[in-house]
Amino acid sequence: MYLIKIGGSLTYSAKHLLDSLKSFCNENSGKYKIIIVPGGGEFANVVRNIYKTTELSNDASHKLATLCTDLTGIYFSELSDIRTVDNLYDAKSILKKEDILIILPSKIVLSNDELPHSWDITSDSIAVYIAKLLNLDNLIIATNVDGIYTEYPKGKLLNTINAKSIKGFTSVDSYLPNLLIKHNIECFVVNGKYPNRIINILKNNNDIYTKIIIDKKSK
């Protein structure tokens, strides 16, 4: 089973990625099981702007932004005809017969309420949280850049980086490294505009991406 988070930065280019993943699963029937976690995208940006200009609380912002991931997931489903599901029990059941689905995260995240109510939390951290619930030891974050750089945009693209070393500009949220270390989950950050790069990660082939590794001593 593989967990792929498709970020909101890919909202307007997601169809190509979704269709490619669906075709890949069809071509390798039964070999790969993929759960897609959607980002909040444009919907979450509306909540962020309301938060900045009103007295909306952190608790309400967290709830609304989390609900926005469901909206993106429904949008992704409309683009691709990939089935959506809102809980892990049904997800596991469906994946016994099908190879790919989209999880709508809000019910899982808000009912357990284990993540901080902060804008440091995005769907990146939500994806790690769901990976933890599924007992997965890695996940893929698809975004609109090639990975994590020493500096952006003129810095060096890092092939690997230790989770405890992530700082400054990254293409992931600031709380993500804490969760990766806590739950011992490795993470690939890859440009989702090039679906074959994600497919190569699934096949365990080298390509252009950044792998976030865990130093066991940092746990």
Side-chain angles (χ1 to χ4, degrees):
M1 186 182 296
Y2 299 88
L3 193 71
I4 302 175
K5 182 258 176 166
I6 299 180
S9 60
L10 297 172
T11 297
Y12 297 104
S13 58
K15 180 172 173 55
H16 179 46
L17 174 55
L18 292 164
D19 288 346
S20 297
L21 292 174
K22 188 176 179 180
S23 296
F24 175 73
C25 287
N26 290 338
E27 293 166 3
N28 297 272
S29 181
K31 186 175 180 181
Y32 297 89
K33 302 290 183 176
I34 294 176
I35 294 178
I36 294 170
V37 176
E42 297 287 348
F43 305 108
N45 287 338
V46 172
V47 176
R48 189 187 297 269
N49 289 334
I50 292 172
Y51 173 79
K52 289 179 178 178
T53 56
T54 71
E55 296 182 358
L56 189 68
S57 69
N58 286 333
D59 291 343
S61 297
H62 173 72
K63 183 176 182 179
L64 290 171
T66 303
L67 289 168
C68 288
T69 62
D70 290 4
L71 299 179
T72 306
I74 294 168
Y75 163 69
F76 284 171
S77 179
E78 177 70 18
L79 290 179
S80 62
D81 200 31
I82 297 173
R83 187 190 297 205
T84 62
V85 65
D86 66 359
N87 65 86
L88 298 183
Y89 178 84
D90 287 345
K92 293 176 183 178
S93 177
I94 291 170
L95 287 176
K96 291 178 181 178
K97 298 181 180 180
E98 301 180 23
D99 293 333
I100 187 168
L101 59 79
I102 297 168
I103 195 85
L104 305 181
S106 71
K107 185 176 179 180
I108 300 166
V109 173
L110 297 176
S111 62
N112 293 328
D113 198 24
E114 294 181 17
L115 294 174
H117 297 184
S118 165
W119 284 105
D120 290 337
I121 298 291
T122 72
S123 50
D124 293 340
S125 290
I126 288 175
V128 180
Y129 180 68
I130 292 176
K132 184 264 294 190
L133 295 177
L134 290 168
N135 295 315
L136 301 179
D137 58 10
N138 64 75
L139 77 144
I140 298 168
I141 293 178
T143 183
N144 65 341
V145 295
D146 291 339
I148 296 175
Y149 293 78
T150 53
E151 293 182 14
Y152 189 81
K154 296 183 179 180
K156 177 184 176 183
L157 176 66
L158 300 172
N159 180 250
T160 61
I161 187 172
N162 195 296
K164 68 179 182 180
S165 299
I166 295 177
K167 58 184 177 180
F169 172 85
T170 72
S171 50
V172 296
D173 74 46
S174 61
Y175 196 73
L176 179 89
N178 301 322
L179 287 178
L180 294 177
I181 293 169
K182 179 179 179 180
H183 301 302
N184 194 27
I185 295 174
E186 293 187 330
C187 176
F188 295 87
V189 182
V190 59
N191 196 328
K193 294 181 179 180
Y194 304 92
N196 199 55
R197 295 181 185 179
I198 295 175
I199 290 170
N200 275 329
I201 294 173
L202 299 175
K203 291 181 174 181
N204 200 30
N205 294 335
N206 290 327
D207 211 314
I208 299 172
Y209 54 74
T210 299
K211 183 178 182 181
I212 304 174
I213 61 174
I214 306 302
D215 180 356
K216 308 303 181 182
K217 295 180 181 179
S218 67
K219 294 186 65 183

